């Protein structure tokens, strides 16, 4: 599946940050280009296998076929519509999940009673294979948008909750003590000490959660969808259009990468206080 | 009754069966600079925490009359707030930026007002911590070995700075330290804490003080601390 490859995309990019001195541009660019040799080679191999008839189109369409299918789907507007529907599901689910995770995580992190009451049930629910809840969700929410959004929200909220909770609990007690002596109000302690202290961990949770969110969407859309990328893929499957199936998968992957890039940009901005050395 | 900013009587602080502070009496007058010397484990940091209100598991009579601020051994700045915000946060009903800028000018860090704390050196961070403590215009300033982690040259510069700031603002100061020279140089009164009580009190000569003036007193304080003096023996 496309989502787990997200993390693999990181190292070559982070190894050469844009702020790095450009003393040896040749040496820096060469390895990056070298890294493209084998992916492009595999792509060529795939094309060769298709053209020579080793790989038949009912198993897997050739890269050029996939490309032209993408162009066609985009031209008819099908791809754009499916894209918009799926993106909307993820955004709604993530927003809903974020509210739940933040409220629960902050409650559990800040108060002893919050931790006692909130954490045990969340930890228990976490052990459920939540993708297995699809049948229940269909019974509860029907087959419209709700079960898909709910599944995304559920998948997204667990990693975020865990990291928010851990982040708040890890707040340096020395800073809290100083804040107390310096006359911070409770609100100031929350806004200027506890929440910023928990932010790095929270952003880790956000990235993990988004990975799970896309996965949840794909599973949710496979089961029963009247629109969206999953619907497009299922339709294509019924007509053995492997080219269109691959187009759908590539778009999933691109969306996953795009949201990850957004979070990384947010991270750079929000954590700039520790990136200035 | 506003003569004393600190008045402590029969203070006891126990950890388990061990009395870290044992029937301790202490007075600090307004505007007075008191240094508290002691070996590690003598209870000096515990006493400071009690006065700061960070430790309330005590018996006895502890009166602190007025506002208190603390500069800790580690600067304890919020790494995610710029330097000037670190100074002004927690102040209410004032123009935080203006107040912070004035305080930073006093510790000669004006050009770092917009910096992130992580970019400061140890001495600079400690000066921010001092500015942050002073900006609250405390009646009692508690200094918990604030120069302990600094190199020797930076420490000397900090001594002068603290003395200047104290002369300018005149808070009562309780400086906890294990550095005798620091105590003798800065304080009106040097107290030696041992086994949870004030064991001795010394009055350094009037200011300005030269190093040579303090040599003899230094030997006596060392003796109180249980350190043998080879030259005298």
């Amino acid at each position: 599946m496309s989502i787990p490859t997200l993390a693999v995309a990181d190292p070559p990019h982070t190894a050469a940050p844009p702020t790095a001195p450009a003393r040896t541009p040749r040496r820096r660019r060469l390895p990056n280009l070298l890294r493209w040799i084998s992916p492009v080679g595999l792509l060529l191999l795939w094309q060769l296998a298709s053209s020579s008839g080793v790989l038949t189109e009912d198993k897997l369409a050739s890269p050029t076929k996939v490309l032209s299918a993408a162009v066609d789907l985009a031209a008819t507007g099908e791809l754009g519509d499916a894209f918009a529907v799926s993106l909307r599901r993820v955004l709604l689910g993530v927003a809903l999940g974020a509210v739940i995770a933040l409220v629960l995580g902050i409650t559990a992190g800040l108060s002893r009673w919050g931790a006692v009451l909130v954490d045990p049930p969340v930890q228990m629910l976490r052990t459920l294979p939540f993708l297995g809840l699809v049948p229940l969700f269909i019974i509860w929410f029907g087959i419209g948008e709700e079960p898909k959004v709910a599944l995304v929200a559920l998948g997204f909220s667990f990693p975020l909750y865990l990291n928010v909770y851990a982040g708040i609990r890890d707040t340096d007690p020395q800073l809290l003590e100083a804040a107390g002596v310096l006359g911070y109000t409770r609100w100031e302690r929350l806004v200027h000490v506890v929440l910023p202290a928990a932010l790095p961990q929270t952003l880790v949770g956000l990235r993990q959660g988004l990975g799970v969110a896309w996965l949840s969407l794909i599973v949710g859309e496979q089961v029963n969808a009247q629109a969206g990328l999953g619907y497009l893929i299922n339709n294509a499957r019924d007509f053995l259009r492997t080219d269109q199936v691959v187009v759908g998968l590539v778009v999933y992957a691109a969306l996953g990468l795009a949201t990850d890039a957004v979070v990384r940009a947010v991270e750079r901005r929000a954590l700039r206080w520790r990136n200035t050395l | 009754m506003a003569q004393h900013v600190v008045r402590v009587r029969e203070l006891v602080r126990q950890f388990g069966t061990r009395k870290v502070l044992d029937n301790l009496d202490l007075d600090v007058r307004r505007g007075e600079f008191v240094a508290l010397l002691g070996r590690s484990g003598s209870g000096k940091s515990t006493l400071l925490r009690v006065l700061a209100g960070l430790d309330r598991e005590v018996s006895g009579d502890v009166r602190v009359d007025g506002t208190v601020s603390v500069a800790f051994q580690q600067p304890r700045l919020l790494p995610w707030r710029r330097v000037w915000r670190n100074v002004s946060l927690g102040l209410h009903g004032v123009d935080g930026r203006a107040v912070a800028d004035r305080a930073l000018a006093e510790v000669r860090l004006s050009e770092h007002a917009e910096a992130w704390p992580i970019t400061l050196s140890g001495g600079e961070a400690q000066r921010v911590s001092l500015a942050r403590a002073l900006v609250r215009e405390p009646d009692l300033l508690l200094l918990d070995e604030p120069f302990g982690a600094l190199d020797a040259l930076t420490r000397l510069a900090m001594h002068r700075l603290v003395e200047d700031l104290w002369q300018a603002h005149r808070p009562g100061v309780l400086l906890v330290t294990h550095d005798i020279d620091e105590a003798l140089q800065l304080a009106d009164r040097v107290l030696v804490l041992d086994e949870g009580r004030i064991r001795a009190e010394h009055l350094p000569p009037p200011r300005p003080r030269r190093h040579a003036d303090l040599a003899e007193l230094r030997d006596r304080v060392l003796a109180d601390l249980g350190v043998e003096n080879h030259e005298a023996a």
Side-chain angles (χ1 to χ4, degrees), chain B residues 9-85:
Chain B
R9 291 293 177 270
E10 295 173 7
L11 173 61
V12 176
R13 174 63 167 105
Q14 267 181 301
F15 292 102
T17 55
R18 188 166 155 259
K19 284 187 178 173
V20 176
L21 298 175
D22 185 7
N23 274 312
L24 179 135
D25 296 340
L26 171 72
D27 291 320
V28 178
R29 287 189 297 278
R30 287 193 176 274
E32 185 186 27
F33 200 131
V34 176
L36 191 65
L37 271 172
R39 286 178 292 185
S40 44
S42 59
K44 54 191 194 304
S45 285
T46 307
L47 175 57
L48 186 132
R49 291 176 61 80
V50 171
L51 294 178
L54 293 171
D55 184 346
R56 298 179 192 278
E57 310 274 299
V58 296
S59 66
D61 188 20
V62 178
R63 273 184 223 172
V64 177
D65 188 18
T67 54
V68 183
S69 342
V70 187
F72 297 95
Q73 184 166 13
Q74 300 299 324
R76 302 197 189 182
L77 305 177
L78 301 174
W80 42 78
R81 292 288 179 264
R82 292 184 191 276
V83 162
W84 74 268
R85 293 273 277 161

Side-chain angles (χ1 to χ4, degrees), chain A residues 81-110:
Chain A
D81 291 346
F83 177 88
V85 168
S86 289
L87 186 64
R88 182 171 171 274
R89 286 173 184 154
V90 161
L91 291 180
L92 279 177
V94 163
L96 186 65
V99 170
I100 295 169
L102 288 175
V103 167
L104 291 182
I106 291 173
T107 306
L110 288 184

Side-chain angles (χ1 to χ4, degrees), chain B residues 56 70 78 83 101-102 109 112 118 142 151 169 198 202:
Chain B
R56 298 179 192 278
V70 187
L78 301 174
V83 162
D101 278 343
R102 228 175 298 139
L109 280 176
H112 288 93
I118 198 174
L142 300 169
D151 66 88
H169 297 270
I198 306 293
H202 296 280

Side-chain angles (χ1 to χ4, degrees), chain B residues 184-203:
Chain B
L184 295 180
Q185 190 66 48
L186 291 174
D188 296 321
R189 212 146 49 93
V190 176
L191 306 176
V192 177
L193 188 67
D194 189 36
E195 294 182 342
R197 292 168 190 247
I198 306 293
R199 186 193 176 106
E201 178 179 289
H202 296 280
L203 302 173

Side-chain angles (χ1 to χ4, degrees), chain A residues 52 65 89 101 108 118 146 155 170 174 176 189 197 216 220 229-230 247:
Chain A
S52 63
K65 282 261 182 184
R89 286 173 184 154
V118 170
E146 293 89 347
D170 278 350
Q174 293 208 328
L176 284 171
R189 232 177 298 178
S216 315
L229 288 167
V247 169

Side-chain angles (χ1 to χ4, degrees), chain A residues 103-105 107-109 112-124 161:
Chain A
V103 167
L104 291 182
T107 306
R112 186 183 295 264
W113 273 108
V116 167
L117 295 177
V118 170
D119 199 48
V122 176
Q123 296 287 354
M124 287 173 199
Y161 164 84

Side-chain angles (χ1 to χ4, degrees), chain B:
Chain B
M1 181 43 239
Q3 236 209 325
H4 289 94
V5 64
V6 174
R7 201 173 180 88
V8 171
R9 291 293 177 270
E10 295 173 7
L11 173 61
V12 176
R13 174 63 167 105
Q14 267 181 301
F15 292 102
T17 55
R18 188 166 155 259
K19 284 187 178 173
V20 176
L21 298 175
D22 185 7
N23 274 312
L24 179 135
D25 296 340
L26 171 72
D27 291 320
V28 178
R29 287 189 297 278
R30 287 193 176 274
E32 185 186 27
F33 200 131
V34 176
L36 191 65
L37 271 172
R39 286 178 292 185
S40 44
S42 59
K44 54 191 194 304
S45 285
T46 307
L47 175 57
L48 186 132
R49 291 176 61 80
V50 171
L51 294 178
L54 293 171
D55 184 346
R56 298 179 192 278
E57 310 274 299
V58 296
S59 66
D61 188 20
V62 178
R63 273 184 223 172
V64 177
D65 188 18
T67 54
V68 183
S69 342
V70 187
F72 297 95
Q73 184 166 13
Q74 300 299 324
R76 302 197 189 182
L77 305 177
L78 301 174
W80 42 78
R81 292 288 179 264
R82 292 184 191 276
V83 162
W84 74 268
R85 293 273 277 161
N86 265 285
V87 173
S88 66
L89 270 174
L91 290 173
H92 305 113
V94 295
D95 177 359
R97 184 61 202 248
V99 170
D101 278 343
R102 228 175 298 139
L104 286 168
E106 267 195 296
V107 297
R108 294 188 275 288
L109 280 176
S110 295
E111 71 278 20
H112 288 93
E114 291 284 346
W116 298 108
I118 198 174
T119 63
L120 302 177
S121 71
E124 287 167 345
Q126 203 52 269
R127 270 143 71 196
V128 174
S129 164
L130 268 181
R132 180 179 66 177
L134 281 169
V135 93
R136 277 139 241 278
E137 292 172 2
D139 298 300
L140 175 65
L141 176 60
L142 300 169
L143 302 175
D144 185 9
E145 301 190 38
F147 320 121
L150 303 178
D151 66 88
L153 290 174
T154 309
R155 198 183 305 183
L156 287 177
M158 289 290 283
H159 290 166
R160 203 156 302 157
L161 178 65
V162 163
E163 197 166 8
D164 289 348
L165 291 172
W166 170 68
Q167 300 273 14
H169 297 270
R170 281 286 164 170
V173 176
L174 187 69
L175 167 68
V176 163
T177 180
H178 51 238
D179 181 338
I180 297 186
D181 297 311
E182 181 172 293
L184 295 180
Q185 190 66 48
L186 291 174
D188 296 321
R189 212 146 49 93
V190 176
L191 306 176
V192 177
L193 188 67
D194 189 36
E195 294 182 342
R197 292 168 190 247
I198 306 293
R199 186 193 176 106
E201 178 179 289
H202 296 280
L203 302 173
R207 298 161 207 273
R209 292 167 188 159
R210 284 174 311 162
H211 212 66
D213 301 337
L214 303 171
E216 189 252 351
L217 181 57
R218 189 173 190 278
D219 288 344
R220 276 190 283 145
V221 177
L222 274 174
D224 285 332
L225 285 163
V227 180
E228 291 288 329
N229 189 341
H230 300 291
E231 289 154 57

